[in-house]
Amino acid sequence: MTALILLLMGVAMVVAVRGQRGIAIGLFGVSFVLAALWLNYHIVDVLNLSL
């Protein structure tokens, strides 16, 4: 999932360089939301340690 988020950000950067700002802002927004959801999913995950 992390690779997909980074790929989406890369596509957004390419689109921004090509001059389509609206699409680039949308892609950055989607990647930011996905990254926040992914982080939240792993933060609340319990870490089980065996001693």
Side-chain angles (χ1 to χ4, degrees), residues 5-51:
I5 293 171
L6 290 174
L7 178 66
L8 183 62
M9 291 181 71
V11 170
M13 289 180 205
V14 169
V15 170
V17 168
R18 295 181 77 191
Q20 299 170 342
R21 289 185 180 174
I23 297 171
I25 290 170
L27 290 173
F28 274 120
V30 169
S31 65
F32 179 76
V33 169
L34 285 175
L37 290 174
W38 188 249
L39 180 65
N40 187 37
Y41 172 75
H42 285 291
I43 283 178
V44 296
D45 204 13
V46 177
L47 181 61
N48 295 323
L49 299 175
S50 59
L51 298 174

